[in-house]
PDB file of all heavy atoms in Angstrom:
ATOM      1  N   GLY A 273    -237.035  -4.546-190.067  1.00 96.00           N
ATOM      2  CA  GLY A 273    -236.158  -4.229-191.090  1.00 96.00           C
ATOM      3  C   GLY A 273    -236.856  -4.353-192.484  1.00 96.00           C
ATOM      4  O   GLY A 273    -237.761  -5.151-192.553  1.00 96.00           O
ATOM      5  N   GLU A 275    -235.979  -4.670-196.545  1.00 98.00           N
ATOM      6  CA  GLU A 275    -234.776  -5.022-197.384  1.00 98.00           C
ATOM      7  C   GLU A 275    -234.651  -4.147-198.640  1.00 98.00           C
ATOM      8  O   GLU A 275    -234.080  -4.568-199.641  1.00 98.00           O
ATOM      9  CB  GLU A 275    -234.921  -6.457-197.754  1.00 98.00           C
ATOM     10  CG  GLU A 275    -236.045  -6.909-198.673  1.00 98.00           C
ATOM     11  CD  GLU A 275    -237.301  -7.334-197.975  1.00 98.00           C
ATOM     12  OE1 GLU A 275    -237.424  -7.067-196.780  1.00 98.00           O
ATOM     13  OE2 GLU A 275    -238.169  -7.946-198.545  1.00 98.00           O
ATOM     14  N   HIS A 299    -230.292 -11.073-192.214  1.00 98.00           N
ATOM     15  CA  HIS A 299    -231.547 -11.330-192.900  1.00 98.00           C
ATOM     16  C   HIS A 299    -231.804 -10.334-194.042  1.00 98.00           C
ATOM     17  O   HIS A 299    -232.137 -10.800-195.232  1.00 98.00           O
ATOM     18  CB  HIS A 299    -232.652 -11.285-191.860  1.00 98.00           C
ATOM     19  CG  HIS A 299    -234.118 -11.528-192.396  1.00 98.00           C
ATOM     20  ND1 HIS A 299    -234.747 -12.709-192.199  1.00 98.00           N
ATOM     21  CD2 HIS A 299    -234.892 -10.805-193.147  1.00 98.00           C
ATOM     22  CE1 HIS A 299    -235.864 -12.715-192.859  1.00 98.00           C
ATOM     23  NE2 HIS A 299    -236.009 -11.484-193.344  1.00 98.00           N
ATOM     24  N   GLU A 300    -231.633  -9.109-193.824  1.00 98.00           N
ATOM     25  CA  GLU A 300    -231.980  -8.058-194.833  1.00 98.00           C
ATOM     26  C   GLU A 300    -230.987  -8.053-195.959  1.00 98.00           C
ATOM     27  O   GLU A 300    -231.336  -7.810-197.127  1.00 98.00           O
ATOM     28  CB  GLU A 300    -232.122  -6.678-194.190  1.00 98.00           C
ATOM     29  CG  GLU A 300    -233.081  -6.481-192.981  1.00 98.00           C
ATOM     30  CD  GLU A 300    -234.534  -6.920-193.284  1.00 98.00           C
ATOM     31  OE1 GLU A 300    -234.848  -7.079-194.408  1.00 98.00           O
ATOM     32  OE2 GLU A 300    -235.208  -7.356-192.229  1.00 98.00           O
ATOM     33  N   HIS A 303    -231.747 -10.844-198.296  1.00 98.00           N
ATOM     34  CA  HIS A 303    -232.851 -10.389-199.226  1.00 98.00           C
ATOM     35  C   HIS A 303    -232.363  -9.765-200.532  1.00 98.00           C
ATOM     36  O   HIS A 303    -233.095  -9.773-201.531  1.00 98.00           O
ATOM     37  CB  HIS A 303    -233.774  -9.511-198.568  1.00 98.00           C
ATOM     38  CG  HIS A 303    -234.902 -10.171-197.780  1.00 98.00           C
ATOM     39  ND1 HIS A 303    -235.757 -11.050-198.434  1.00 98.00           N
ATOM     40  CD2 HIS A 303    -235.389  -9.994-196.593  1.00 98.00           C
ATOM     41  CE1 HIS A 303    -236.626 -11.395-197.498  1.00 98.00           C
ATOM     42  NE2 HIS A 303    -236.452 -10.784-196.402  1.00 98.00           N
ATOM     43  N   SER A 321    -238.552 -15.446-200.930  1.00 98.00           N
ATOM     44  CA  SER A 321    -237.899 -14.288-200.212  1.00 98.00           C
ATOM     45  C   SER A 321    -237.583 -14.595-198.784  1.00 98.00           C
ATOM     46  O   SER A 321    -236.450 -14.618-198.303  1.00 98.00           O
ATOM     47  CB  SER A 321    -238.817 -13.009-200.253  1.00 98.00           C
ATOM     48  OG  SER A 321    -238.938 -12.565-201.512  1.00 98.00           O
ATOM     49  N   GLU A 322    -238.688 -14.807-197.968  1.00 98.00           N
ATOM     50  CA  GLU A 322    -238.533 -14.942-196.494  1.00 98.00           C
ATOM     51  C   GLU A 322    -237.881 -16.177-196.074  1.00 98.00           C
ATOM     52  O   GLU A 322    -237.128 -16.041-195.040  1.00 98.00           O
ATOM     53  CB  GLU A 322    -239.852 -14.616-195.882  1.00 98.00           C
ATOM     54  CG  GLU A 322    -240.580 -13.368-196.101  1.00 98.00           C
ATOM     55  CD  GLU A 322    -239.597 -12.135-195.824  1.00 98.00           C
ATOM     56  OE1 GLU A 322    -238.688 -12.289-195.146  1.00 98.00           O
ATOM     57  OE2 GLU A 322    -239.885 -11.050-196.242  1.00 98.00           O
ATOM     58  N   ALA A 325    -234.132 -15.729-196.730  1.00 98.00           N
ATOM     59  CA  ALA A 325    -233.530 -14.778-195.852  1.00 98.00           C
ATOM     60  C   ALA A 325    -233.287 -15.380-194.435  1.00 98.00           C
ATOM     61  O   ALA A 325    -232.300 -15.239-193.825  1.00 98.00           O
ATOM     62  CB  ALA A 325    -234.305 -13.453-195.770  1.00 98.00           C
ATOM     63  N   THR A 326    -234.382 -16.197-194.029  1.00 98.00           N
ATOM     64  CA  THR A 326    -234.260 -16.765-192.704  1.00 98.00           C
ATOM     65  C   THR A 326    -233.209 -17.819-192.770  1.00 98.00           C
ATOM     66  O   THR A 326    -232.389 -17.927-191.831  1.00 98.00           O
ATOM     67  CB  THR A 326    -235.617 -17.439-192.487  1.00 98.00           C
ATOM     68  OG1 THR A 326    -236.642 -16.463-192.454  1.00 98.00           O
ATOM     69  CG2 THR A 326    -235.593 -18.032-191.021  1.00 98.00           C
ATOM     70  N   TYR A 381    -241.485 -17.897-193.025  1.00 98.00           N
ATOM     71  CA  TYR A 381    -240.123 -17.625-192.521  1.00 98.00           C
ATOM     72  C   TYR A 381    -239.531 -18.930-191.964  1.00 98.00           C
ATOM     73  O   TYR A 381    -238.877 -19.617-192.693  1.00 98.00           O
ATOM     74  CB  TYR A 381    -240.294 -16.590-191.363  1.00 98.00           C
ATOM     75  CG  TYR A 381    -240.626 -15.166-191.811  1.00 98.00           C
ATOM     76  CD1 TYR A 381    -241.879 -14.752-191.985  1.00 98.00           C
ATOM     77  CD2 TYR A 381    -239.553 -14.236-192.002  1.00 98.00           C
ATOM     78  CE1 TYR A 381    -242.108 -13.485-192.324  1.00 98.00           C
ATOM     79  CE2 TYR A 381    -239.827 -13.061-192.387  1.00 98.00           C
ATOM     80  CZ  TYR A 381    -241.144 -12.530-192.620  1.00 98.00           C
ATOM     81  OH  TYR A 381    -241.357 -11.193-192.980  1.00 98.00           O
TER      82      TYR A 381
HETATM   83 ZN1   ZN K 601    -237.478 -10.714-194.532  1.00 54.36          ZN
END
Side-chain angles (χ1 to χ4, degrees):
E275 65 267 19
H299 179 102
E300 304 308 337
H303 269 309
S321 290
E322 298 305 346
T326 303
Y381 286 87

